Amino acid sequence: MVDEYVEKGYKVKRSTGDEALVKERTVGSWIIHLILLIFTIGFGNVAYLIYRWVTADTVAIVLNPDGGDAGEE
């Protein structure tokens, strides 16, 4: 289950024997970055990048003792 998220671009933040916490690795839309570069001389790009990192999707994956997936939070 964790491997599926890693393939989608998520990064494993914490992993124990029966649970894992993964966070999306994203820099945002390239079109928005281009627009911000033109109108804010790059300062908007930095703010947008930080915003995307802070608000990125985080998923907790908990496995059942029998090895199955217990679901996502």
Side-chain angles (χ1 to χ4, degrees), residues 8-29:
K8 292 179 184 177
Y10 285 70
K11 181 180 178 183
V12 178
K13 298 297 278 185
R14 181 174 34 115
S15 179
T16 61
D18 58 348
E19 66 180 40
L21 183 66
V22 294
K23 186 166 186 169
E24 184 179 21
R25 293 173 52 175
T26 182
V27 295
S29 168

Side-chain angles (χ1 to χ4, degrees), residues 18 62-70:
D18 58 348
V62 181
L63 300 176
N64 286 331
D66 62 358
D69 178 27

Side-chain angles (χ1 to χ4, degrees), residues 43-62:
F43 295 111
N45 290 72
V46 174
Y48 179 61
L49 181 66
I50 292 170
Y51 168 76
R52 290 299 297 166
W53 279 344
V54 170
T55 61
D57 186 30
T58 303
V59 179
I61 303 168
V62 181

